[in-house]
């Protein structure tokens, strides 16, 4: 079964062709980062306009690269939410038009399930049940994934998402957007123990709070600025990243013990962070747990994960798909 996936929830226009849920025939991403960079974050109107500009040529290119023509497609998958309303509408309009003209089913996919299903592209694939630590720009959630599209929310952030704190600290340091990869790079030459930052809510259940950590890092930067000292950017980045890793390790271990579940999946854009991946693997090795992360190319937003999730939905949940749906900017996993 060949599925064409379309993802336009934020600032990447993405189209992929995936066969049988695991053969990636093409996976194209047109990033808008350059355009949004000078504003320090995503400008919704600009995102919609750029999706509209790029979507048709990207669909064409994705088919060419996959060596297929439009009639070869068995189904179209599109992100229905969460995300920016106008941005989601562009992807959905393109997907609905394709579905109608080709007479092929249209499968709507929750972006968050897309991130979770990206882990099905890993070798080995996670087996149910597993704990999923979903860390992206907008979400920080610990989930128990019991079966296909069947999840229980174990805990989530009460304020900032992990990716959001990377982005805000990067912006405060004048390093640019998106902050995650830049901070990871800076941290490579820094001392993770140079500064001690707070690990809020570490011993309170499976909830998270990253706003206090972000504020503490920003306060440290302000204190250094006031004292006229030069800012040790790599040390700040390394100490911040180390603190995030400690929190994630601790909460994942607790979730695993409390739910008697020894597989942990790390997913979402922040799971592209090699330091975090390694930290979680080290914790898992000490505790006889298994950590599974999506291959790097499928951690941050992409359309392959949307097509993969659609494949599993179609094969395990339902082969009939309502066409009367619209975008859901605030969609949740559960
Ligand atoms: O999943 P994603 O691409 O988009 C959302 O659904 O939000 O995640 C984007 C987030 C951004 O906050 C970005 O800074 C962060 O993921 N990110 C990273 C890394 N790569 C992307 N954070 C830390 N380290 C990275 N290497
Ligand atoms: Zn995402």
């Amino acid at each position: 079964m060949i599925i064409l996936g379309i993802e336009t929830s934020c600032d990447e226009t993405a189209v992929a062709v995936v066969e049988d849920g695991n053969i990636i025939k093409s996976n194209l991403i047109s990033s808008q980062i350059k355009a949004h960079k000078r504003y320090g974050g995503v400008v919704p109107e600009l995102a919609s306009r750029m999706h509209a500009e790029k979507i048709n040529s990207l669909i064409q290119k994705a088919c060419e690269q996959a060596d297929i023509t439009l009639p070869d497609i068995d189904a179209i998958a599109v992100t229905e939410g969460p995300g920016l309303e106008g941005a989601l509408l562009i992807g959905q309009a393109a997907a609905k038009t394709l579905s109608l003209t080709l007479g092929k089913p249209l499968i709507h996919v929750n972006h968050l399930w897309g991130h979770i299903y990206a882990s099905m592209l890993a070798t080995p694939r996670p087996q149910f049940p597993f704990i999923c630590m979903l860390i992206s720009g907008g979400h920080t959630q610990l989930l128990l994934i019991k079966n296909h599209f069947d999840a229980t929310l174990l805990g989530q952030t009460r304020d900032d998402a992990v990716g959001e704190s990377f982005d805000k600290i990067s912006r405060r340091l004048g390093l640019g957007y998106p902050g995650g990869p830049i901070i990871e790079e800076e941290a490579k030459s820094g001392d993770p123990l140079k500064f001690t930052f707070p690990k809020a809510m570490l011993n309170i259940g499976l909830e998270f709070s990253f706003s206090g950590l972000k504020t503490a890092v920003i306060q440290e930067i302000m204190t250094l600025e006031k004292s006229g000292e030069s800012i040790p950017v790599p040390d700040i980045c390394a100490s911040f990243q180390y603190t995030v890793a400690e929190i994630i390790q601790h909460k994942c271990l607790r979730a695993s013990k409390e739910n008697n579940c020894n597989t942990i999946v790390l997913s979402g854009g922040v799971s592209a962070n090699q330091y975090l991946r390694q930290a979680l693997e080290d914790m898992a090795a000490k505790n006889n747990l298994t950590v599974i992360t999506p291959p790097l190319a499928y951690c941050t937003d992409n359309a392959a994960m949307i097509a993969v999730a659609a494949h599993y939905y179609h094969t395990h949940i339902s082969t009939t798909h309502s066409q009367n749906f619209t975008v859901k900017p605030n969609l949740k996993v559960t």
Side-chain angles (χ1 to χ4, degrees):
M1 183 179 188
I2 294 181
I3 299 185
L4 178 104
I6 297 178
E7 152 63 42
T8 61
S9 66
C10 192
D11 58 348
E12 326 270 6
T13 317
V15 180
V17 175
V18 179
E19 190 170 355
D20 298 334
N22 62 2
I23 304 165
I24 312 295
K25 297 181 81 74
S26 62
N27 182 39
L28 299 183
I29 299 171
S30 168
S31 172
Q32 305 177 353
I33 284 174
K34 265 193 201 152
H36 296 288
K37 216 168 195 157
R38 61 194 175 115
Y39 304 103
V42 180
V43 182
E45 288 266 317
L46 184 58
S48 309
R49 206 178 322 140
M50 293 189 76
H51 287 313
E53 229 173 81
K54 290 282 157 66
I55 190 76
N56 276 17
S57 62
L58 218 59
I59 291 171
Q60 241 168 4
K61 274 188 210 150
C63 289
E64 275 166 28
Q65 240 187 53
D67 204 18
I68 61 160
T69 57
L70 288 175
D72 296 325
I73 294 167
D74 297 306
I76 295 116
V78 68
T79 306
E80 65 170 340
L84 302 169
E85 185 158 15
L88 289 163
L89 278 167
I90 305 292
Q92 204 167 92
K96 283 190 166 180
T97 309
L98 267 180
S99 159
L100 197 65
T101 49
L102 295 173
K104 298 291 164 72
L106 177 57
I107 308 172
H108 42 105
V109 174
N110 180 328
H111 180 87
L112 302 173
W113 277 112
H115 277 303
I116 297 165
Y117 273 89
S119 67
M120 294 294 173
L121 294 170
T123 312
R125 280 180 212 165
Q127 302 292 314
F128 300 112
F130 59 85
I131 302 283
C132 179
M133 179 80 245
L134 177 59
I135 41 177
S136 69
H139 293 82
T140 296
Q141 297 191 323
L142 257 174
L143 299 151
L144 176 64
I145 312 293
K146 294 171 284 187
N147 208 330
H148 286 292
F149 299 95
D150 183 6
T152 301
L153 178 64
L154 303 174
Q156 62 184 331
T157 181
R158 293 193 176 173
D159 38 59
D160 290 353
V162 181
E164 192 180 351
S165 63
F166 271 90
D167 293 337
K168 287 179 175 166
I169 289 169
S170 173
R171 190 182 331 173
R172 183 61 184 78
L173 287 167
L175 296 175
Y177 166 85
I182 307 172
I183 288 192
E184 181 178 11
E185 196 51 39
E186 287 285 344
K188 282 181 184 160
S189 57
D191 174 3
L193 302 178
K194 178 82 184 183
F195 298 98
T196 305
F197 293 129
K199 296 169 198 158
M201 301 185 67
L202 197 67
N203 294 311
I204 305 176
L206 296 172
E207 300 283 299
F208 299 82
S209 166
F210 285 100
S211 130
L213 169 58
K214 172 202 69 190
T215 306
V217 175
I218 291 177
Q219 263 165 4
E220 185 65 54
I221 298 167
M222 282 162 60
T223 308
L224 288 163
E225 279 172 348
K226 270 192 202 138
S227 72
E229 281 180 56
S230 66
I231 311 286
V233 173
D235 293 337
I236 299 243
C237 292
S239 302
F240 161 68
Q241 190 176 251
Y242 166 82
T243 312
V244 171
E246 290 267 303
I247 298 168
I248 302 284
Q249 281 178 325
H250 189 89
K251 297 284 180 175
C252 284
L253 180 58
R254 173 175 287 194
S256 154
K257 281 186 180 160
E258 283 182 3
N259 292 278
N260 205 12
C261 181
N262 60 9
T263 303
I264 300 167
V265 164
L266 188 66
S267 73
V270 186
S271 72
N273 186 293
Q274 299 286 356
Y275 180 86
L276 275 183
R277 288 161 87 107
Q278 191 56 51
L280 206 60
E281 268 165 28
D282 293 346
M283 180 281 283
K286 278 188 211 143
N287 293 280
N288 257 332
L289 306 175
T290 304
V291 168
I292 295 178
T293 41
L296 217 48
Y298 309 111
C299 288
T300 45
D301 289 352
N302 65 88
M305 69 183 196
I306 301 302
V308 171
H311 171 87
Y312 282 96
Y313 189 87
H314 188 81
T315 48
H316 291 272
I317 306 290
S318 172
T319 49
T320 54
H321 309 281
S322 159
Q323 304 303 296
N324 298 329
F325 66 93
T326 183
V327 296
K328 299 193 180 83
N330 298 314
L331 194 60
K332 313 252 183 288
V333 174
T334 59

